[in-house]
Amino acid sequence: MSLMYSFTCPTIFPAKRTLSNSFISFFHRNTPVLTPLHQKVSFTSCSGGSDLVDELQAEEDAFSGSRQITNYTGVRLEESVEDVGKTRLDTWISTRINGISRARVQSSIRSGLVSVNHRVIVKTSHMIRHGDKVECTISELQPLKAESEDIPLDIVYEDEHVLVVNKPAHMVVHPAPGNTTGTLVNGILHHCSLSTPSFHDQELLSDSDELSDIELDESQSPLNHTFGTNETSVRPGIVHRLDKGTSGLLVVAKDEHSHAHLSQQFKEHTIQRIYISLTCGIPFPPSGRVDIPIGRDLTNRIRMTADTGPTKCGKSRYAASRYKVVEILAGGGSGLVEWRLETGRTHQIRAHAKYLGIPLMGDEVYGGTKNMAISRLQLKNSSKLHGQLSELVAKVNRPCLHALTLGFTHPCTGEKMQFSCLPPVDFAEVLTGLRNISTHKMKGS
């Protein structure tokens, strides 16, 4: 079934959202190999209750890359630096412990748990060199509190079990170091009249802005805790996430059963997710399937990258996206591209778009800079339009990506539910501007 795309500025036609069984028409018109001679690693349990097998498995997981663990407390690293020039201490440690965030490493350094050549270092930017001996113990996570805040939320649908919200761009989904207030979770706690919970922050990306649309199991959900008083309790759960800069639909579970049921749907990839984006350039072919694993970029830990070789990234995970050009804009300098996710990896669309050579407009992390967008647009258009194009691109202040459609099976009723929500004003204004230069709708879109 195809999605019908037609757009105009939402200042004329207010955004609508619908629950239906059909789509809507809107807006008219590699981890390093360890060398035993130079490295010693161990895992110390803080609970005192873990057996030796669990500890050995945790040690293996943290350093072998077999899987990413979620609790790094007590992990120790003793290693001599090899084959590098001058590099930052925090950066180097974060590349040696599989999956750990740079922010977590920095916290351990500031806590006095890292030494270089037997001297305690508390400066995260301390430079290390070949031959230095580094000893590190990962500190315990400090609890974060999610305070209830009266934040306006655009609730698309709600019943006693689930809540579907239209997240605005620039809103972080849940609290993390550096973003403890003003998040979607803070607003949901107030909306649902819940008490203030405290929870341990998960291993997020180091800039803490880049929360991703990834499947979460119950052990990973930062809101996987019971809230309430006396005889009643409610357990809301963030089942998936959207990046800070991404707008659109997100489902929240309001009880334990719903959380588990929705999480299973994400694991089984039965959730329907359709995104739209504005890209720098047009992909070739204009529709297709990207089946390229994604892993952490070893040169920039806040960025993921398509795994096309053994040295580009750390441990990668299978990722598949289907894309289709809906509309060619501004002579081919940009495109309205639809994405359908088969998996939900960190920054999946953004990384796959970069791999295709069409970074999302406004995505500074993945190459969709203003200079890139202007260059692609000017290349395809008359010099008379260059000033107009530059003014248009100047309005872009986030990756032009919107979670348009979300479909799932209701965890309690079994009803097939589907929601669609229009892109926000900033997205629509840029799209309208590009269309005013030129537009060509692809056949079947």
Side-chain angles (χ1 to χ4, degrees):
M1 187 177 296
S2 298
L3 219 128
M4 300 297 294
Y5 294 89
S6 58
F7 297 75
T8 53
C9 182
T11 56
I12 300 175
F13 297 101
K16 297 179 180 179
R17 50 182 179 266
T18 59
L19 166 62
S20 66
N21 292 321
S22 61
F23 294 119
I24 61 170
S25 174
F26 54 90
F27 287 123
H28 178 68
R29 221 8 237 153
N30 296 323
T31 303
V33 177
L34 307 184
T35 306
L37 293 176
H38 299 280
Q39 176 169 294
K40 176 184 177 183
V41 298
S42 63
F43 178 85
T44 304
S45 172
C46 296
S47 65
S50 299
D51 57 29
L52 180 59
V53 174
D54 290 339
E55 293 183 13
L56 291 174
Q57 182 63 52
E59 173 183 332
E60 178 184 353
D61 291 338
F63 296 93
S64 71
S66 60
R67 66 179 173 89
Q68 180 173 322
I69 63 174
T70 58
N71 182 10
Y72 293 89
T73 300
V75 170
R76 286 184 51 79
L77 169 69
E78 297 179 16
E79 182 178 350
S80 295
V81 180
E82 290 186 345
D83 301 325
V84 296
K86 291 177 62 176
T87 188
R88 285 176 57 120
L89 177 61
D90 56 351
T91 301
W92 184 82
I93 292 175
S94 66
T95 64
R96 307 304 295 176
I97 302 178
N98 180 50
I100 197 169
S101 71
R102 188 167 163 185
R104 184 74 184 277
V105 172
Q106 290 173 339
S107 175
S108 302
I109 294 172
R110 294 189 187 101
S111 298
L113 298 176
V114 177
S115 65
V116 178
N117 299 326
H118 308 293
R119 180 168 65 93
V120 174
I121 302 296
V122 295
K123 184 179 178 182
T124 60
S125 61
H126 176 81
M127 304 304 291
I128 57 176
R129 298 169 176 81
H130 176 82
D132 285 346
K133 182 178 179 181
V134 177
E135 298 175 72
C136 169
T137 302
I138 301 302
S139 61
E140 183 176 0
L141 281 171
Q142 297 301 311
L144 291 174
K145 285 190 175 182
E147 301 285 350
S148 172
E149 294 182 61
D150 186 5
I151 301 172
L153 297 177
D154 184 4
I155 305 297
V156 176
Y157 174 83
E158 182 176 17
D159 61 27
E160 61 182 318
H161 304 290
V162 298
L163 180 151
V164 178
V165 62
N166 178 28
K167 186 188 86 68
H170 309 297
M171 175 183 274
V172 174
V173 171
H174 63 66
N179 286 295
T180 57
T181 62
T183 72
L184 181 64
V185 163
N186 296 117
I188 290 173
L189 290 173
H190 180 272
H191 177 79
C192 296
S193 301
L194 298 177
S195 58
T196 298
S198 120
F199 55 88
H200 288 292
D201 177 41
Q202 300 301 310
E203 296 305 310
L204 304 177
L205 298 179
S206 60
D207 66 352
S208 76
D209 282 349
E210 303 297 337
L211 304 180
S212 59
D213 179 9
I214 59 176
E215 297 95 1
L216 302 174
D217 62 29
E218 288 194 58
S219 65
Q220 290 176 307
S221 175
L223 279 188
N224 186 32
H225 301 266
T226 300
F227 309 115
T229 57
N230 300 330
E231 299 177 358
T232 62
S233 65
V234 182
R235 192 163 88 167
I238 300 298
V239 186
H240 64 134
R241 300 178 288 188
L242 297 177
D243 293 343
K244 178 181 178 181
T246 303
S247 58
L249 295 172
L250 184 139
V251 61
V252 178
K254 296 174 71 174
D255 57 67
E256 182 175 357
H257 168 78
S258 298
H259 184 276
H261 196 284
L262 287 169
S263 295
Q264 188 63 31
Q265 291 182 56
F266 272 95
K267 288 180 182 179
E268 295 174 353
H269 309 302
T270 58
I271 300 284
Q272 182 187 38
R273 287 168 291 172
I274 302 176
Y275 294 72
I276 54 172
S277 67
L278 296 176
T279 59
C280 297
I282 302 293
F284 181 82
S287 64
R289 182 175 183 269
V290 186
D291 184 358
I292 301 291
I294 291 174
R296 184 80 62 195
D297 190 324
L298 295 179
T299 63
N300 184 344
R301 284 189 56 78
I302 70 170
R303 183 172 63 203
M304 309 300 285
T305 187
D307 186 3
T308 57
T311 60
K312 283 200 66 176
C313 64
K315 187 177 186 301
S316 60
R317 301 179 68 190
Y318 171 75
S321 309
R322 295 184 182 273
Y323 71 91
K324 179 178 68 174
V325 177
V326 176
E327 198 170 342
I328 297 174
L329 303 166
S334 180
L336 177 63
V337 179
E338 173 192 291
W339 301 84
R340 296 180 183 240
L341 298 183
E342 295 182 19
T343 57
R345 305 304 180 210
T346 302
H347 299 180
Q348 178 171 320
I349 291 175
R350 299 165 67 187
H352 277 172
K354 178 179 174 64
Y355 169 78
L356 290 172
I358 52 157
L360 305 186
M361 189 177 293
D363 194 347
E364 301 281 337
V365 174
Y366 287 88
T369 62
K370 286 182 170 62
N371 286 339
M372 166 63 79
I374 291 171
S375 175
R376 293 279 177 93
L377 289 165
Q378 290 183 347
L379 185 64
K380 297 290 186 178
N381 291 276
S382 165
S383 59
K384 296 178 181 179
L385 296 171
H386 288 184
Q388 180 181 345
L389 290 167
S390 295
E391 291 179 5
L392 190 61
V393 171
K395 298 178 180 179
V396 179
N397 62 0
R398 53 108 172 180
C400 289
L401 181 63
H402 176 72
L404 175 71
T405 298
L406 178 66
F408 56 88
T409 301
H410 193 283
C412 295
T413 67
E415 179 186 358
K416 298 291 184 181
M417 311 191 77
Q418 185 183 86
F419 304 88
S420 293
C421 195
L422 301 174
V425 173
D426 66 330
F427 188 110
E429 285 183 344
V430 175
L431 176 58
T432 299
L434 293 171
R435 280 178 167 162
N436 288 340
I437 294 171
S438 72
T439 178
H440 172 70
K441 291 189 177 181
M442 300 296 287
K443 186 176 180 180
S445 297

